[in-house]
């Protein structure tokens, strides 16, 4: 598919940068048409400005209802003719109307191997602390479809990293982040090449066609 990406980011935006870098390097066939943030201070907004990408700050608190918030998001997505949404460090629940409108075309990146260490409140340092507290020997990152609950959509791509005895949440987060920056653009390229097949029960990745 001809990917016209809308990126949602609440913070630093390193995954957003990884997407832009992959497009620049020619390994991802996509165009970023919009950056949406809920945080006026988000680093991702600066990246968008530097790259000349249109950006909008849309905060749920500015709307009377979640339905109105959803309408504002859909309006912004329609104005830039986006056909694919990427949650790249976005800390808000996406309204149901947006998930419905972009069903199968809305993905999230999570810094652990789902279904472990996900769900409401599991973000940032907490995820890696929980992995260490549990004593896992591997962790990793998951790119998954977004459904109406936190982190429960079907996995698309997962990759592991080792957990070392002397890891801190910060050292583990840094190792996982490197993997995130690989698998998020890689997953998008699977969509760009129409290699993602979504059935009710599972997601299949089709082989490369030469
Ligand atoms: C990443 O660890 C991502 O997995 C999680 O939020 C973090 C965002 O980092 N959902 P960045 O803003 O892309 O640097």
């Amino acid at each position: 598919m001809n990917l016209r990406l809308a990126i949602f980011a609440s913070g630093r935006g390193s995954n957003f940068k990884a997407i832009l870098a992959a497009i620049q390097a020619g390994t991802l066939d996509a165009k970023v048409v919009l950056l949406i943030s809920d945080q006026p201070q988000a680093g991702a907004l600066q990246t968008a400005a530097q790259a000349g990408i249109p950006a909008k700050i849309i905060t749920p608190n500015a709307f009377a209802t979640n339905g109105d918030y959803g309408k504002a998001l859909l309006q912004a997505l329609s104005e830039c003719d986006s056909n694919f949404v990427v949650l790249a460090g976005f800390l808000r629940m996406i309204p149901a109307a947006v998930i419905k409108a972009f069903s199968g075309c809305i993905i999230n990146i999570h810094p652990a191997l789902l279904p472990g260490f996900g769900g409401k409140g599991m973000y940032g340092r907490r995820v890696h602390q929980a992995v260490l507290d549990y004593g896992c020997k591997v962790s990793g990152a998951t790119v998954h479809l977004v459904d109406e609950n936190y982190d429960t959509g079907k996995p698309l791509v997962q990759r592991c990293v080792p957990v070392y005895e002397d890891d801190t949440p910060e050292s583990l987060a840094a190792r996982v982040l490197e993997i995130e920056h690989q698998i998020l653009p890689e997953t998008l390229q699977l969509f760009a090449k129409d290699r993602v097949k979504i059935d009710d029960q599972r997601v299949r990745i089709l082989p490369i066609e030469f």
Side-chain angles (χ1 to χ4, degrees):
M1 70 187 284
N2 179 21
L3 288 177
R4 292 180 57 80
L5 306 175
I7 314 288
F8 286 43
S10 298
R12 159 182 73 177
S14 69
N15 278 290
F16 173 37
K17 275 191 183 161
I19 290 169
L20 294 177
I23 293 171
Q24 185 88 31
T27 54
L28 171 56
D29 303 313
K31 184 174 164 68
V32 179
V33 294
L34 181 64
L35 183 273
I36 292 182
S37 186
D38 57 324
Q39 298 293 331
Q41 308 304 328
L45 287 166
Q46 288 169 22
T47 303
Q50 282 158 8
I53 290 166
K56 280 197 156 65
I57 301 168
I58 304 180
T59 51
N61 307 352
F63 300 93
T65 66
N66 200 43
D68 289 345
Y69 172 48
K71 277 185 195 148
L73 291 174
L74 284 172
Q75 167 87 19
L77 291 165
S78 142
E79 278 169 9
C80 66
D81 198 19
S82 172
N83 60 5
F84 202 98
V85 170
V86 182
L87 309 183
F90 192 67
L91 297 178
R92 306 278 188 169
M93 183 60 115
I94 300 294
V98 177
I99 294 171
K100 201 165 168 224
F102 283 80
S103 176
C105 294
I106 174 166
I107 67 172
N108 180 48
I109 179 137
H110 184 76
L113 296 172
L114 292 172
F117 308 103
K120 193 166 169 23
M122 280 302 254
Y123 59 86
R125 191 179 194 281
R126 286 186 211 177
V127 176
H128 307 292
Q129 184 69 64
V131 168
L132 294 176
D133 289 347
Y134 196 86
C136 292
K137 303 304 182 194
V138 292
S139 188
T142 302
V143 181
H144 63 93
L145 292 168
V146 173
D147 64 15
E148 287 176 26
N149 299 301
Y150 282 105
D151 300 329
T152 56
K154 289 287 173 198
L156 293 157
V157 173
Q158 297 187 291
R159 196 162 295 158
C160 296
V161 298
V163 176
Y164 299 128
E165 297 295 333
D166 60 353
D167 262 330
T168 61
E170 288 72 26
S171 64
L172 180 56
R175 196 173 309 118
V176 169
L177 193 63
E178 277 185 41
I179 293 296
E180 293 184 42
H181 295 165
Q182 296 168 10
I183 67 172
L184 187 53
E186 284 177 21
T187 306
L188 287 168
Q189 184 65 355
L190 294 175
F191 281 95
K193 294 291 179 196
D194 298 317
R195 293 182 56 202
V196 179
K197 181 107 173 61
I198 302 167
D199 300 329
D200 273 357
Q201 295 304 315
R202 58 181 298 176
V203 168
R204 285 186 299 132
I205 307 299
L206 304 180
I208 299 178
E209 280 188 18
F210 292 99

